[in-house]
Amino acid sequence: MNMDPKQFVPPEHDAAKRIFPIVIVGHVDHGKSTLIGRLMYDTGTIEAGKVRELETAAAKRGRPVEWSFLLDALELERDQGITLDTTRIWFSTRARPYVIIDAPGHHELLRNMLTGAAAAEAAILVIDAAQGMGEQTRRHANLLSLLGIGQVLVAINKIDLIDHDEVRFNALADEIRAYLGRLKLKPRAIVPVSARAGDNIATISPLTAWYRGPSLLDALDQLSPIAKLPDADLRFSVQDIWFRDDKRIIVGRIDSGRLALGDELIFAPSGGKARVAEILNWGKVKSTSGTQAGQSIAFTLDRQILIERGAIAHHRGKAPHVGHHLDLQLIWLDPEPLQLGERLTLRIGTQELDGHVEKIHNIIDLGTLSPEPAHTVPANAIARISLITRKPIVADPNAPLSASGRAVLARRHRVVAGAWVTELSNHAGDNLTPV
């Protein structure tokens, strides 16, 4: 049902509830931006003045009103008809506030899509009802799986282009379930929608009377937030060491867990141990006794130990892995293929080390999802490689949602791959963890 933005009152929500981040992914022409614009419209996020701007912009270009114009702020984007960068959009339902990370779908823009998806707790995969699943759709589904985003909704968009046909919808839904199932993803809902007309976005449309599932907004509200990072093991990434008077001040970010006065910290990879003596706030001792995930802090220790940028602080018995030999799952973003033996720069959090490609295990065939032997990795391919670093690296394997599980690879200062650590050891099969 279409809503009049001049009369619509935005739904109330509990301001204390934390914002739920989601990512919108899919093929370049399957209607992601239009869907997001419609979500904003149907939740009362758009003011009447903005609607008039849309109408003016549409008339200027000789086109009907497009909700995607809400996001495509640049003239270049409007003229080309594609989304060029990751955009953050806020809206609320009665259940909670959301931030939507709109990720580009064009195959050359996977770098931005990767950046957006890594921050999300759930995803909406948009698929054109008439065109079905294409290579870009499959690649994005693979990225969701690799990133560990298990909560996925599927919006089969442009349902009007297949005349709201139940049989064709069910056939496509079955194909999608089968493909996602092979990636160990189970869609929470597959919703037939028309983003332009608003069918099944906020309310169920009579044009799909055969559909018995939730609207897209209701399906979103049924998703659950992931485990809160403050409840996870402590991972503090050292960004810098400051010297003030006779104090050495450790500066960095708490990626997960909690840190409090008096805590014994172990710094990987060196294994040095000390207790938190003071937690500082712009040079002054803080009155609070502790801090938690997401905060950038500074603190002093009760004794002098060797600490360098890139070290990871953790609690006893909750150690990350340390080693020189990494297995990585990656998506290669550079036009120039990755070569065996090539030297790259590996970055995990504040760590930065040089390494060389010891082995290219395989690349993934996006159609069959089977690993294929390879000696190089071409642009946009998903691959598994082994990398050896001269100095030890600290990471949490198989934790793609954590800062200590994600990595980037750079070649000559240019980021060429997003990666996830799947194994870390001194020798294959020999994981080492500090006490």
Side-chain angles (χ1 to χ4, degrees):
M1 179 177 66
N2 297 347
M3 300 182 183
D4 184 348
K6 293 179 289 185
Q7 298 177 356
F8 182 79
V9 178
E12 296 180 357
H13 69 269
D14 184 352
K17 291 183 177 178
R18 74 178 180 92
I19 296 168
F20 191 86
I22 62 174
V23 66
I24 309 290
V25 299
H27 193 280
V28 61
D29 294 322
H30 287 199
K32 299 184 309 300
S33 295
T34 302
L35 174 62
I36 295 172
R38 190 72 204 198
L39 284 170
M40 296 172 67
Y41 180 61
D42 282 351
T43 55
T45 305
I46 311 171
E47 298 177 354
K50 179 60 69 175
V51 175
R52 288 193 293 271
E53 288 181 21
L54 289 178
E55 293 171 343
T56 301
K60 179 180 177 181
R61 291 168 174 77
R63 302 177 181 175
V65 173
E66 289 285 356
W67 300 113
S68 61
F69 282 7
L70 286 168
L71 312 182
D72 297 336
L74 299 176
E75 289 292 327
L76 174 62
E77 292 183 354
R78 289 185 179 178
D79 292 342
Q80 292 186 355
I82 62 172
T83 307
L84 291 180
D85 204 350
T86 300
T87 309
R88 292 177 181 266
I89 305 100
W90 310 82
F91 77 98
S92 292
T93 67
R94 289 181 174 84
R96 60 189 167 208
Y98 290 87
V99 57
I100 302 177
I101 305 164
D102 174 36
H106 194 273
H107 66 88
E108 295 177 358
L109 304 172
L110 276 170
R111 187 188 313 270
N112 291 355
M113 182 268 174
L114 191 67
T115 303
E121 295 183 17
I124 299 176
L125 180 62
V126 182
I127 300 174
D128 187 304
Q131 296 185 30
M133 296 185 69
E135 181 182 343
Q136 290 179 34
T137 304
R138 290 182 169 87
R139 181 173 288 111
H140 288 180
N142 272 269
L143 288 177
L144 296 179
S145 177
L146 291 172
L147 282 166
I149 300 176
Q151 297 191 103
V152 179
L153 302 177
V154 179
I156 296 184
N157 191 27
K158 306 182 185 181
I159 194 68
D160 50 308
L161 294 186
I162 61 169
D163 298 323
H164 306 89
D165 188 287
E166 178 183 8
V167 173
R168 292 180 65 182
F169 168 81
N170 287 336
L172 180 54
D174 288 344
E175 179 187 353
I176 293 165
R177 284 192 195 93
Y179 189 85
L180 294 182
R182 291 160 63 191
L183 295 170
K184 302 188 185 309
L185 294 174
K186 182 179 180 180
R188 302 300 177 90
I190 301 179
V191 187
V193 304
S194 171
R196 178 171 292 178
D199 295 338
N200 299 329
I201 304 296
T203 57
I204 299 300
S205 170
L207 297 174
T208 54
W210 42 265
Y211 174 66
R212 296 290 182 264
S215 69
L216 191 61
L217 282 172
D218 284 342
L220 275 174
D221 286 343
Q222 292 168 14
L223 300 178
S224 301
I226 63 172
K228 294 183 179 179
L229 289 176
D231 298 326
D233 295 339
L234 173 66
R235 296 291 184 264
F236 174 85
S237 298
V238 176
Q239 181 176 353
D240 203 355
I241 312 296
W242 294 350
F243 295 89
R244 181 170 298 167
D245 299 328
D246 60 343
K247 294 182 178 180
R248 295 173 74 245
I249 301 172
I250 316 303
V251 180
R253 174 184 170 86
I254 302 177
D255 297 315
S256 62
R258 302 173 188 272
L259 185 150
L261 288 174
D263 279 3
E264 182 189 49
L265 300 181
I266 303 174
F267 291 83
S270 69
K273 304 178 183 67
R275 292 191 179 274
V276 178
E278 297 173 321
I279 298 177
L280 308 176
N281 182 15
W282 297 105
K284 299 179 180 179
V285 178
K286 295 186 68 174
S287 58
T288 178
S289 61
T291 53
Q292 65 181 29
Q295 293 180 293
S296 295
I297 64 167
F299 59 85
T300 63
L301 298 171
D302 66 348
R303 65 189 187 91
Q304 300 277 6
I305 60 172
L306 178 62
I307 302 172
E308 297 179 329
R309 173 182 167 84
I312 303 293
H314 61 88
H315 290 136
R316 183 179 295 274
K318 306 289 185 180
H321 287 212
V322 178
H324 297 262
H325 186 285
L326 300 93
D327 276 5
L328 298 168
Q329 194 89 13
L330 61 80
I331 177 164
W332 189 252
L333 302 170
D334 200 65
E336 183 181 340
L338 173 66
Q339 305 290 338
L340 185 65
E342 185 171 354
R343 291 198 168 274
L344 299 170
T345 300
L346 172 73
R347 298 172 187 158
I348 299 179
T350 55
Q351 302 174 84
E352 183 169 317
L353 300 96
D354 291 333
H356 72 272
V357 180
E358 179 197 34
K359 186 174 183 179
I360 297 174
H361 295 275
N362 54 59
I363 59 175
I364 301 299
D365 184 301
L366 294 178
T368 65
L369 294 181
S370 59
E372 303 289 343
H375 300 290
T376 63
V377 181
N380 301 323
I382 295 171
R384 187 169 72 90
I385 71 168
S386 290
L387 192 75
I388 294 180
T389 59
R390 182 168 298 178
K391 295 182 179 180
I393 195 79
V394 183
D396 285 294
N398 298 309
L401 290 180
S402 72
S404 52
R406 296 194 305 268
V408 297
L409 297 173
R411 170 199 274 161
R412 297 183 291 275
H413 307 292
R414 170 180 168 80
V415 173
V416 290
W420 303 266
V421 180
T422 58
E423 188 176 334
L424 174 58
S425 61
N426 264 356
H427 303 285
D430 180 24
N431 285 325
L432 300 179
T433 54
V435 176

